[in-house]
Amino acid sequence: MSDLLNVDNLTVRFEVKRGGGWGKKSYLYAVDDISFAVKKGETLAIVGESGSGKTTAALAVARLVKAHSGSVCLGGEDVLQTQDEDLRAFRQKVQFIFQDPYSSLNPRQRAEAIVREPLDSLSNKSAAEKTQIVEGLFQAVGLRPEQQRLFPHQFSGGQRQRIGIARALATQPELIICDEPVSALDVAVQAQILNLLRKLQKDFGLTYLFISHDLGVVQHMSDSIAVMYMGRIVEHADRMSLFTAPRHPYTQALLAGVPRLEVGKRQYEPISGEIPSPLSPPTGCHFHPRCKFATARCKAEKPALREIAPAHFSACHLNDEA
Ligand code: SF4
């Protein structure tokens, strides 16, 4: 399967203050030189704690925040340079499913209008075609036709997320970015929504970029996983390799917190301490203040992301000793 999305050396930074001397600026690097690819019809999960940069990276891919440098190509087209009509066409190709089904739907719109909205703003289809598409989407996500007339508050949390999924599908996008799509839902409802996303992927050949803070959620949803910490990718591997042979201490700590882990043995210690302020990130390996294996080298030298097994990448000085 060929790559649908290629992200190379993507950096997103925000100016945080002026200081020092005239014209001197300071920046927070929310996304720091990351690269990844997503094959057509597959799911790449980006996992990390709050503040890791995973959502900012996804927003930059979708052109919803400005990238400082790097490139994003969708189907071979350079996304970051796209303008005008091409940008409108790009917006049809990339859609979001948001975290919170309570706040991401307009409470004053009926469900039918919410699902139809991307078609109204981005496509030139006739009213009859739009009606037909919306009917089909309600069926595809497991909602009844008469529910089109209801308002968001008349649905359960899981049903609201189904509306969000139907809305994301309306323009027949090539890439769907799922930003923590089940983290606001009960565990039982989470499973239903994850099953629905997998079924839709199979039925429509969808490609997902799946953002989550929870490795447990992505263990059944992903083909490959990139783990982010303070703006950098620290480990990247296919799902089986990452769950059975995690190499980075941060990934191992995240795995220790996964309940009902079905692959591999839970033999890692949970992560300790808080993620440091991104305004003054630790030197060298950003993870060193929380890593029990940290050495003087870790404090001084940034570890490169290196291939340590076929298609398995890790950024840790311990790899040099292995
Ligand atoms: Fe820990 Fe050092 Fe590896 Fe960073 S480079 S994860 S501090 S051992």
Side-chain angles (χ1 to χ4, degrees):
M1 200 72 78
S2 59
D3 291 344
L4 174 69
L5 178 69
N6 289 91
V7 173
D8 288 300
N9 307 110
L10 180 68
T11 296
V12 180
R13 68 179 195 181
F14 302 108
E15 190 177 336
V16 286
K17 65 180 179 192
R18 284 173 187 272
W22 174 257
K24 189 163 182 196
K25 295 177 181 175
S26 181
Y27 295 98
L28 181 160
Y29 282 79
V31 176
D32 187 2
D33 192 19
I34 67 169
S35 301
F36 59 83
V38 191
K39 289 192 185 338
K40 194 168 167 44
E42 293 197 351
T43 300
L44 169 72
I46 302 183
V47 178
E49 292 167 287
S50 174
S52 62
K54 57 192 188 302
T55 296
T56 306
L59 290 169
V61 166
R63 287 280 303 266
L64 296 175
V65 301
K66 193 171 182 304
H68 167 63
S69 57
S71 71
V72 177
C73 289
L74 184 76
E77 284 181 41
D78 185 345
V79 167
L80 299 184
Q81 305 306 322
T82 300
Q83 296 294 340
D84 305 325
E85 267 308 299
D86 289 342
L87 181 57
R88 191 165 175 260
F90 168 74
R91 300 247 178 259
Q92 291 190 48
K93 293 178 189 171
V94 178
Q95 289 286 311
F96 255 86
I97 298 169
F98 295 99
Q99 174 178 2
D100 187 351
Y102 299 90
S103 63
S104 64
L105 306 180
N106 184 340
R108 284 184 281 280
Q109 277 190 317
R110 294 184 193 275
E112 181 271 341
I114 291 171
V115 174
R116 199 189 60 226
E117 193 276 330
L119 292 168
D120 289 338
S121 56
L122 294 170
S123 90
N124 299 319
K125 294 191 185 301
S126 69
E129 285 175 310
K130 290 176 189 172
T131 299
Q132 198 177 18
I133 289 169
V134 171
E135 279 175 9
L137 289 170
F138 265 69
Q139 190 177 19
V141 300
L143 293 171
R144 298 191 304 280
E146 66 272 21
Q147 290 178 304
Q148 290 183 58
R149 301 296 301 156
L150 302 180
F151 290 94
H153 74 270
Q154 295 172 289
F155 292 90
S156 67
Q159 287 174 327
R160 278 184 248 204
Q161 197 53 299
R162 287 173 193 264
I163 296 171
I165 293 168
R167 176 177 59 184
L169 291 171
T171 57
Q172 296 182 301
E174 294 178 17
L175 176 71
I176 297 185
I177 298 175
C178 310
D179 186 12
E180 303 267 14
V182 298
S183 59
L185 303 173
D186 295 342
V187 172
V189 181
Q190 283 187 1
Q192 293 169 12
I193 296 298
L194 292 173
N195 286 339
L196 173 64
L197 288 171
R198 281 192 299 186
K199 180 177 184 307
L200 292 170
Q201 183 171 44
K202 207 165 145 214
D203 291 350
F204 298 119
L206 302 174
T207 306
Y208 293 140
L209 186 59
F210 196 101
I211 309 299
S212 179
H213 68 281
D214 186 349
L215 273 169
V217 164
V218 305
Q219 67 176 317
H220 301 299
M221 264 313 292
S222 50
D223 295 286
S224 55
I225 298 167
V227 178
M228 280 188 77
Y229 188 76
M230 296 198 74
R232 299 173 180 168
I233 291 178
V234 297
E235 188 156 12
H236 187 176
D238 67 85
R239 177 172 60 99
M240 189 60 84
S241 302
L242 193 112
F243 277 94
T244 56
R247 293 287 289 271
H248 196 282
Y250 179 60
T251 309
Q252 293 170 355
L254 289 180
L255 281 169
V258 178
R260 304 187 304 278
L261 191 62
E262 291 179 9
V263 187
K265 294 197 173 84
R266 293 178 61 193
Q267 56 193 344
Y268 307 112
E269 288 181 24
I271 196 164
S272 61
E274 298 289 319
I275 197 163
S277 167
L279 294 172
S280 52
T283 55
C285 172
H286 286 343
F287 189 55
H288 82 251
R290 305 171 78 185
C291 180
K292 66 177 183 175
F293 304 108
T295 63
R297 183 185 177 198
C298 302
K299 292 176 190 165
E301 189 184 324
K302 173 186 169 183
L305 188 66
R306 289 200 294 110
E307 190 168 19
I308 40 101
H312 190 147
F313 298 82
S314 169
C316 175
H317 294 310
L318 292 177
N319 296 323
D320 294 346
E321 297 165 22

